[in-house]
């Protein structure tokens, strides 16, 4: 968002005839120096529920209780996950919250570390 504002300011300065290279360079430097890396999400909850329910039934139950599942492929194998979470502690907290929901009885999960993105 900030880059859009800075670029708009640069265009406005140029359009008004104030083509000061110094101002343009300062605006570019400000936008480049404020780039922040988001934390890499490395943890997830893997749904390990048996064959009792279909994925669609389980997905519906999870969504109704505030958890968004997704399918993620790891080494050619598809995994049914909830997350991702930035830390193992956050994943464990979500797992504990799931256990407190009576409508999610029978859905078992394991905390797993996701492979680093290449």
């Amino acid at each position: 968002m900030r880059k859009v504002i800075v670029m708009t300011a640069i265009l406005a300065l140029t359009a008004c005839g104030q083509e000061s290279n110094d101002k343009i360079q300062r605006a570019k430097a400000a936008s480049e120096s404020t780039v922040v890396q988001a934390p890499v999400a490395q943890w997830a909850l893997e749904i390990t529920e048996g064959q009792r329910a279909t994925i669609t039934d389980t997905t519906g139950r999870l969504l109704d209780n505030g958890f968004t599942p997704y399918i993620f492929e790891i080494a050619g194998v598809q995994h049914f996950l909830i997350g991702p979470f930035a830390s193992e502690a956050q994943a464990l907290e979500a797992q504990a919250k799931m256990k407190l929901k009576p409508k999610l009885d029978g859905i078992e999960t394991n905390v797993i570390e996701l492979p680093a993105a290449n």
Side-chain angles (χ1 to χ4, degrees):
M1 180 72 184
R2 182 180 175 132
K3 285 187 176 185
V4 172
I5 293 170
V6 171
M7 291 301 159
T8 305
I10 291 170
L11 290 173
L13 288 173
T14 305
C16 294
Q18 298 177 3
E19 300 174 336
S20 170
N21 280 339
D22 186 43
K23 288 181 182 179
I24 293 172
Q25 294 305 323
R26 281 187 286 166
K28 284 182 182 179
S31 68
E32 290 170 2
S33 65
T34 58
V35 174
V36 177
Q37 290 289 334
V40 177
Q42 298 179 359
W43 299 89
L45 294 178
E46 180 177 24
I47 308 295
T48 59
E49 180 178 31
Q51 299 298 324
R52 276 185 336 124
T54 64
I55 288 179
T56 54
D57 291 340
T58 303
T59 299
R61 289 171 54 201
L62 289 166
L63 288 172
D64 288 345
N65 286 279
F67 297 95
T68 306
Y70 65 100
I71 295 176
F72 186 75
E73 191 171 307
I74 302 172
V77 178
Q78 291 185 342
H79 297 266
F80 192 36
L81 305 176
I82 296 173
F85 303 98
S87 69
E88 184 178 16
Q90 289 176 341
L92 289 169
E93 182 180 330
Q95 186 180 40
K97 285 181 183 179
M98 280 185 67
K99 289 180 181 179
L100 295 175
K101 305 252 182 193
K103 292 184 179 181
L104 298 180
D105 280 347
I107 297 178
E108 296 182 19
T109 60
N110 289 328
V111 175
I112 63 167
E113 186 173 11
L114 298 173
N118 292 331

